[in-house]
Amino acid sequence: MAVRRVLKMGEPCLLEAAEPVTEFDTPALHTLIEDMRDTMHAQHGAGLAAPQIGTGLQVVIFSVANNPRYPDAEPVPETVLINPVLTVLAQEQEDGWEGCLSIPGMRGLVPRYTHLRYRGYDQYGRQLDRVAAGFHARVVQHEVDHLLGVLYPMRIRDLRYFGYTEVLFPHLQATMSDD
Ligand code: NI
């Protein structure tokens, strides 16, 4: 178990497509996920993708419960999602504020689909098939974007809605030491 360094925007490997996982329930995969969990929790992230710690595999984790970075977000179950496939269930999109551990100290307003289905596998190779809406759907889209080499600023429609967290959300600073 280890807290790993999170790569920041500007690193070329954050812009690369990740490779699918071909072997499940291996020591290497379990270690990767433990490191991702430790790193995400240490930084109070809502999610983390393997490329953010320099591993180019299609592995993401996410979890939202009483997160000081997202105090108004509805809870999202702790999830390991490998080789994800998203299906958009409604064409409707909604703007919402996002941050990213690879872009510390900033937030941007990003349009995301409001309803989707996601399928994939957990670290043991068990199939996962869920329907998500709202913030849950947003987190999934943000994390899966990392596997495509897409960072949230690339999705912002109007860059006037991109800025420093301390300026946009001064009340958040009292509860956050990082980002
Ligand atoms: Ni991110």
Side-chain angles (χ1 to χ4, degrees):
M1 302 225 301
V3 174
R4 304 262 297 266
R5 187 171 72 89
V6 177
L7 303 182
K8 291 186 187 151
M9 185 166 66
E11 292 269 5
C13 63
L14 290 174
L15 303 175
E16 286 169 11
E19 298 290 329
V21 170
T22 53
E23 276 191 286
F24 294 88
D25 201 14
T26 63
L29 186 58
H30 291 307
T31 300
L32 171 66
I33 287 160
E34 277 181 27
D35 286 359
M36 288 172 67
R37 268 202 192 109
D38 291 346
T39 305
M40 181 179 82
H41 290 309
Q43 301 216 26
H44 303 293
L48 191 72
Q52 291 181 276
I53 58 169
T55 300
L57 289 174
Q58 294 179 14
V59 179
V60 304
I61 62 170
F62 47 85
S63 162
V64 180
N66 302 317
N67 189 321
R69 279 167 50 89
Y70 297 95
D72 303 322
E74 63 261 36
V76 177
E78 178 142 359
T79 302
V80 172
L81 178 61
I82 298 175
N83 300 351
V85 177
L86 304 191
T87 310
V88 172
L89 297 179
Q91 284 307 310
E92 183 193 351
Q93 290 195 326
E94 191 174 67
D95 283 325
W97 290 96
E98 294 185 18
C100 181
L101 297 179
S102 293
I103 308 160
M106 302 199 78
R107 294 287 167 107
L109 198 63
V110 183
R112 297 287 188 190
Y113 293 107
T114 55
H115 294 83
L116 56 81
R117 177 182 184 190
Y118 62 94
R119 281 172 286 182
Y121 301 88
D122 71 7
Q123 63 271 47
Y124 301 99
R126 294 180 298 212
Q127 280 192 313
L128 201 72
D129 187 343
R130 281 192 195 147
V131 169
F135 191 72
H136 185 174
R138 174 172 298 281
V139 169
V140 172
Q141 289 166 88
H142 176 115
E143 296 311 327
V144 171
D145 261 357
H146 277 296
L147 306 181
L148 305 170
V150 174
L151 300 171
Y152 80 79
M154 297 155 72
R155 300 271 190 209
I156 296 174
R157 283 205 187 109
D158 183 343
L159 283 165
R160 288 178 298 176
Y161 299 98
F162 182 42
Y164 292 96
T165 312
E166 64 188 32
V167 179
L168 291 164
F169 301 102
H171 64 283
L172 279 183
Q173 291 302 304
T175 55
M176 283 166 35
S177 55
D178 43 31
D179 178 81

